[in-house]
Amino acid sequence: MTEKTNHCWWQNAVGYQIYPKSFYDTNGDGIGDIDGIIAKLPYLKDLGIDFIWLNPIYPSPNVDNGYDISDFKDVAAPFGDLTRLKTLLDKAHALGIKVLMDLVINHTSDQHPWFIEAKKSKDNPYRDYYHWVDCSKKELPNDWKSFFGGSVWEYDSVSEQAYFHLFYKEQPDLNWHNPQMRQEIYEMIRFWLKFGIDGFRLDAISHLEKAPWDTKIVDNPWAPFMNVSGIEVYMQELKAIFDEYQILTVGEASGVTSKKAREWTDISTGYLTMIFELEHNIRVGHVGHQRIDVRGFKQVLARWQKDLMDVGWNALYVENHDNPRINSVLGNETEKSAKAIAMMYLGLKGTPFIYQGQELGMVNFPFKTIDEMDDLSDKARFKQLIAAGSTPKAALKEVSWYSRDNARVPVSWENKANSGFTSGVPWLDVRPNCSRINVADEAVDPNSVLNFYKRLIALRKSKRIFSQGDFRLLLAGDENVFSYLRSNKNEQLFILVNLSGQKVNITLPNRVINHHWQCIVSNTQSINLMRHIELKGYDGFIFERIDKKSSS
Ligand code: GLC
Ligand code: CA
């Protein structure tokens, strides 16, 4: 056993993602702040949270809401300052809550001093901190497309070169081939570790290495910058620093397959503690109303469960700041479906993350005009659709269904003006239906989604089988039902959730009906586990086996 294996507190932990701008505002400027997080720590403690991950709070021109960083070692004024952050760490630690920061090292803002220097001339010492390639405006170095639309290249007529950006043009990618740049990044990481943070969520980490510029795109347009060979060198260097401080690391690692993720998250040799896979977010259906396809969704999750079972570790999530609300795209916006989804993913093996408001059952925002949205990629897509002949109504429908702003509207704290998020004007409008979905009311309702999450989190922590047991998918072909067994030597759990709003009839396998089970959580009345059973829409159950001795 390495030293790392002895420090597995996170295997039994539950994380909570905070989008600080929309969490809680204490000074009435309409923007959530560090003091707002401090104020709500007791709420998080009560919910059963062990660590929080803060989306970026660094100084930023906010082209991509904080993911375009202009100073890696400071806090943006609207959020507070380094002293307030230190206070947050101290208060969180006093409650036994750890704090993870977002680490964005694939790119900087174009307003970062490095890029301001780099842009000045070809022989500037910072030029090579970024990717610059000779070209003409008409003939860019290649035809690769950026994640946010358009070319990955931005032409600079002064130097007759273009620089590379995977996201907005205001987010130039760092050149990881440059050892000096890497040293500066590592020094910055140490600055935060010495500051006392407990870990990082590593943004866009699988994109650090790029394929040679003349690589032709065959099918997958993102292949030239997804986990490209060569990245191991940087990941090993990063790992060496993370290991020194024994911190928790969670990588946003799109393109790292479930097989590869074994290496990435191997408990003794992996680069990172765990990674977020992005595969399960795929949706199908009518434009403007795409939903998660249950069969595909559970097959992706089941594959990740299996591939990482004995080696590696999963980060479990159903929401974040980049996706619409799960209770709208998988649920039917009811309390019942929010609870069903909670059981479905909190029963899996891995470390669950809850995104702010998810524990309330918050749903998508009914945007009425494009002006209500803040995300530039939404505005760009809207324009594109109009230019292609869409009506404003149809374009809005399509854009708003996918909009990242659905999850970025402020948290509903109370049923009052601006949902108790701010005494001023919120930077993004707040939920119109906070009358039903809000912390204050849900806290006193024993049947609320909030209290359901609380019970489920407590249950998960009380039984090691949730973190340790094996996983076996049942009813793999069923289009609506996600059902699986969690087993260890002496215990077994059976999770059974109908992820559709319709009634479904299912046939249970012998390995279930040959044993005795007791329902330990449900969002409906318990049922007898017989060969043929009918589930109503979004019925969900967690059963515990009560004849533990016999083999299955
Ligand atoms: C990640 C973040 C996303 C951001 C992007 C660029 O995907 O989650 O919000 O836009 O990286 O930094
Ligand atoms: Ca504020």
Side-chain angles (χ1 to χ4, degrees), residues 236-252:
Q236 286 293 0
E237 290 177 355
L238 288 165
K239 172 187 163 56
I241 307 172
F242 300 153
D243 279 358
E244 251 178 71
Y245 288 82
Q246 295 281 322
I247 58 160
L248 175 64
T249 53
V250 192
E252 185 202 29

Side-chain angles (χ1 to χ4, degrees), residues 258-515:
S258 49
K259 291 267 180 317
K260 274 277 167 207
R262 289 165 71 90
E263 283 164 42
W264 276 62
T265 66
D266 182 303
I267 199 159
S268 38
T269 57
Y271 313 134
L272 303 173
T273 320
M274 57 186 104
I275 63 176
F276 290 125
E277 50 78 24
L278 276 72
E279 285 180 65
H280 78 254
N281 293 318
I282 293 171
R283 298 198 197 92
V284 295
H286 304 297
V287 171
H289 204 270
Q290 294 96 332
R291 293 183 54 83
I292 286 176
D293 156 53
V294 174
R295 192 155 51 171
F297 174 83
K298 72 183 186 184
Q299 281 169 354
V300 167
L301 290 180
R303 171 160 48 78
W304 279 78
Q305 288 284 299
K306 280 199 107 108
D307 286 349
L308 269 60
M309 190 50 65
D310 305 312
V311 183
W313 195 255
N314 272 295
L316 309 169
Y317 75 100
V318 287
E319 283 193 18
N320 61 26
H321 64 294
D322 288 333
N323 282 290
R325 291 285 183 181
I326 193 73
N327 201 18
S328 296
V329 293
L330 183 57
N332 61 356
E333 305 200 334
T334 59
E335 290 176 25
K336 188 176 182 187
S337 64
K339 293 174 185 174
I341 293 165
M343 283 182 273
M344 173 277 295
Y345 98 107
L346 285 171
L348 294 169
K349 184 170 182 176
T351 301
F353 286 70
I354 295 169
Y355 177 72
Q356 64 183 38
Q358 178 192 326
E359 78 279 19
L360 306 174
M362 282 181 77
V363 297
N364 275 354
F365 190 84
F367 294 102
K368 288 195 196 66
T369 71
I370 189 71
D371 298 330
E372 285 180 341
M373 284 183 214
D374 174 83
D375 195 334
L376 292 181
S377 55
D378 292 339
K379 291 184 193 285
R381 177 84 187 123
F382 182 80
K383 259 198 193 152
Q384 238 178 29
L385 288 168
I386 298 287
S390 244
T391 64
K393 200 174 158 205
L396 183 71
K397 195 166 175 226
E398 175 166 349
V399 172
S400 50
W401 191 250
Y402 263 109
S403 174
R404 309 196 287 184
D405 286 344
N406 283 306
R408 295 179 181 186
V409 294
V411 170
S412 300
W413 292 102
E414 284 173 78
N415 180 15
K416 67 175 203 193
N418 295 327
S419 75
F421 160 72
T422 179
S423 58
V425 181
W427 74 278
L428 199 61
D429 204 353
V430 291
R431 283 234 44 79
N433 74 349
C434 70
S435 61
R436 194 170 54 82
I437 304 173
N438 69 74
V439 173
D441 289 333
E442 291 195 33
V444 294
D445 173 1
N447 293 319
S448 66
V449 177
L450 176 60
N451 278 313
F452 192 80
Y453 262 91
K454 222 160 115 175
R455 281 199 298 278
L456 208 48
I457 291 170
L459 177 76
R460 206 186 139 93
K461 290 191 182 174
S462 71
K463 292 182 188 292
R464 279 187 81 82
I465 185 169
F466 278 102
S467 57
Q468 302 300 329
D470 284 353
F471 167 93
R472 175 194 276 267
L473 182 67
L474 301 178
L475 309 176
D478 194 286
E479 284 171 16
N480 301 301
V481 176
F482 194 172
S483 156
Y484 53 91
L485 288 172
R486 298 291 314 277
S487 319
N488 63 23
K489 219 165 142 221
N490 298 309
E491 299 163 292
Q492 211 164 29
L493 297 173
F494 171 44
I495 289 92
L496 177 64
V497 183
N498 178 3
L499 287 177
S500 81
Q502 305 134 34
K503 274 188 196 162
V504 289
N505 291 296
I506 54 168
T507 305
L508 293 176
N510 287 344
R511 65 176 73 247
V512 173
I513 57 166
N514 285 352
H515 302 290

Side-chain angles (χ1 to χ4, degrees), residues 25-33 78:
D25 173 28
T26 55
N27 65 351
D29 66 355
I31 296 174
D33 38 54

Side-chain angles (χ1 to χ4, degrees), residues 61-249:
N62 281 318
V63 172
D64 190 20
N65 252 337
Y67 280 98
D68 46 324
I69 298 172
S70 52
D71 182 351
F72 281 126
K73 292 193 200 161
D74 204 353
V75 169
F79 293 130
D81 56 25
L82 286 171
T83 313
R84 296 315 296 152
L85 182 60
K86 188 76 190 148
T87 307
L88 167 62
L89 289 184
D90 292 344
K91 299 222 169 190
H93 290 164
L95 289 173
I97 296 177
K98 297 187 196 288
V99 181
L100 271 58
M101 299 273 282
D102 219 305
L103 183 67
V104 188
I105 51 180
N106 176 70
H107 47 269
T108 67
S109 160
D110 64 348
Q111 299 308 309
H112 191 286
W114 296 347
F115 193 74
I116 293 178
E117 280 302 308
K119 228 174 32 187
K120 285 184 180 162
S121 70
K122 279 188 189 174
D123 55 7
N124 187 286
Y126 288 94
R127 185 77 168 186
D128 192 46
Y129 274 36
Y130 298 87
H131 298 285
W132 292 89
V133 178
D134 289 332
C135 63
S136 70
K137 191 169 185 179
K138 277 206 182 117
E139 226 170 302
L140 294 169
N142 58 37
D143 62 354
W144 301 358
K145 293 278 169 284
S146 115
F147 284 125
F148 290 156
S151 171
V152 290
W153 298 103
E154 180 68 13
Y155 184 67
D156 169 46
S157 54
V158 180
S159 62
E160 297 184 330
Q161 287 192 325
Y163 68 84
F164 184 93
H165 62 92
L166 271 185
F167 298 92
Y168 293 122
K169 67 177 186 345
E170 293 86 353
Q171 295 169 291
D173 280 47
L174 286 164
N175 174 12
W176 277 75
H177 295 161
N178 183 322
Q180 201 184 328
M181 186 287 291
R182 300 216 296 274
Q183 285 318 312
E184 286 210 53
I185 291 284
Y186 300 153
E187 190 265 319
M188 175 273 282
I189 291 175
R190 287 179 193 281
F191 164 85
W192 285 111
L193 294 173
K194 286 183 199 134
F195 190 82
I197 65 152
D198 306 293
F200 289 114
R201 176 264 189 185
L202 293 96
D203 183 66
I205 197 66
S206 47
H207 311 314
L208 298 188
E209 183 66 304
K210 282 76 174 160
W213 302 134
D214 59 2
T215 304
K216 293 268 166 295
I217 293 190
V218 187
D219 41 15
N220 179 359
W222 320 129
F225 31 82
M226 298 285 226
N227 192 22
V228 169
S229 154
I231 195 172
E232 322 75 64
V233 178
Y234 322 135
M235 296 312 296
Q236 286 293 0
E237 290 177 355
L238 288 165
K239 172 187 163 56
I241 307 172
F242 300 153
D243 279 358
E244 251 178 71
Y245 288 82
Q246 295 281 322
I247 58 160
L248 175 64
T249 53

